[in-house]
């Protein structure tokens, strides 16, 4: 059974960097068939895909156009996890952030982290 | 505004059959498979249907999905009180370098 466990702060100051980590158990971040995503949810924007990382003989990263200039998703093979870094945050980045993954579909989700951007 | 269009609400009485629609375009539903998620309050979305009509292990066969052209539907038969939740459709979209897109969600009330 695949499980995703998120960690990271729930409060970030404006202009700073939001950083979250998603630890994978039951699968590998280096899987040749899975992709590992970050998705956020807010009342104003609904469910919004932010980006993903996956391995197909080499590493690939794909990001949503809306956050492409501010986002980095990194795999960590030594810890079997992946991370999200979103810089220059504003109050509009306040949302519940989820990691999610699976083989071609979003079959597994983390528990979610409410991140509030406020001074 | 969500890329995929769903009705904001649906309702039914216990035992009834309810359907939820999801409308998209040629770049998402028209060319890729559809997934459906169930979200209970305060929890993460749970995969209910993948590849248009496939159920993950553990999902009751009361839940079924279908797709035609650029639209998809989720059907719930034998409605139960525990089915009261928000339901979301999702599909990969080939535009803008590729991205997952979602519906705005349908709040299902069991009367």
């Amino acid at each position: 059974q695949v499980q995703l466990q998120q960690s990271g702060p729930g409060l970030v100051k404006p202009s700073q960097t939001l950083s979250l980590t998603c630890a994978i158990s039951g699968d590998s971040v280096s899987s040749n068939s899975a992709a590992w995503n970050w998705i956020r949810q807010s009342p104003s924007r609904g469910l919004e895909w932010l980006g993903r990382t996956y391995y197909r003989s080499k590493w690939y990263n794909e990001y949503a156009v809306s956050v492409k200039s501010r986002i980095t998703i990194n795999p960590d093979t030594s810890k079997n996890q992946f991370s999200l870094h979103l810089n220059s945050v504003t109050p509009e980045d306040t949302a519940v952030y989820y990691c999610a993954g699976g083989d071609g579909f979003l079959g597994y989700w983390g528990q979610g982290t409410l991140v509030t951007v406020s001074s | 505004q969500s890329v995929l269009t769903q009705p904001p609400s649906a309702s039914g009485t216990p035992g009834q059959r309810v359907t939820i629609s999801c409308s998209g375009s040629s770049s998402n539903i028209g060319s890729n498979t559809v997934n459906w998620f169930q979200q209970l309050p305060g929890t993460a979305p749970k995969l209910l249907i993948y590849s248009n009509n496939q159920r993950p292990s553990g999902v009751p066969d009361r839940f079924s999905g279908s797709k035609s052209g650029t639209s998809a539907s989720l059907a719930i038969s034998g409605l139960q009180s525990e089915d009261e939740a928000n339901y979301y459709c999702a599909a990969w979209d080939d535009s803008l370098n590729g991205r997952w897109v979602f519906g705005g969600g349908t709040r299902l009330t069991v009367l």
Side-chain angles (χ1 to χ4, degrees), chain A residues 37 39 41 44-49 52 62-65 68 98 104-112, chain B residues 1-2 33 35 37 39 42-47 50-51 88 90 92 96-103:
Chain A
N37 303 261
I39 293 163
Q41 184 175 30
S44 59
R45 302 165 82 105
L47 285 163
E48 180 185 14
W49 178 78
R52 67 180 183 176
E62 295 170 350
Y63 301 126
V65 169
K68 193 169 185 177
Y98 294 102
F105 44 84
L106 304 170
Y108 310 108
W109 292 65
Q111 78 274 25
Chain B
Q1 184 134 2
S2 300
T33 61
N35 303 322
F37 299 90
Q39 186 175 33
T43 69
K46 169 192 169 186
L47 183 66
Y50 67 97
S51 296
Y88 296 90
W92 184 257
L96 298 178
N97 296 324
R99 54 178 179 159
W100 279 103
V101 292
F102 297 89

Side-chain angles (χ1 to χ4, degrees), chain A:
Chain A
Q1 176 75 345
V2 178
Q3 291 187 322
L4 305 181
Q5 180 67 41
Q6 298 178 217
S7 58
L11 181 64
V12 181
K13 289 182 167 51
S15 80
Q16 294 193 340
T17 298
L18 179 163
S19 295
L20 297 173
T21 299
C22 182
I24 304 165
S25 59
D27 203 338
S28 171
V29 71
S30 305
S31 164
N32 268 297
S33 57
W36 306 102
N37 303 261
W38 285 99
I39 293 163
R40 66 184 178 184
Q41 184 175 30
S42 65
S44 59
R45 302 165 82 105
L47 285 163
E48 180 185 14
W49 178 78
L50 299 176
R52 67 180 183 176
T53 188
Y54 58 94
Y55 185 77
R56 302 290 186 268
S57 301
K58 68 175 187 176
W59 287 102
Y60 294 86
N61 290 312
E62 295 170 350
Y63 301 126
V65 169
S66 60
V67 295
K68 193 169 185 177
S69 62
R70 302 191 290 132
I71 190 174
T72 304
I73 296 176
N74 291 322
D76 183 343
T77 57
S78 66
K79 296 181 179 179
N80 201 31
Q81 63 187 31
F82 61 108
S83 62
L84 166 70
H85 302 280
L86 185 67
N87 60 39
S88 305
V89 296
T90 72
E92 286 196 354
D93 293 310
T94 294
V96 177
Y97 286 75
Y98 294 102
C99 59
D103 288 5
F105 44 84
L106 304 170
Y108 310 108
W109 292 65
Q111 78 274 25
T113 302
L114 173 60
V115 179
T116 302
V117 179
S118 174
S119 53

Side-chain angles (χ1 to χ4, degrees), chain B residues 58-75:
Chain B
V59 173
D61 59 6
R62 301 186 297 104
F63 295 91
S64 62
S66 64
K67 170 185 147 177
S68 178
T70 59
S71 294
S73 291
L74 172 70

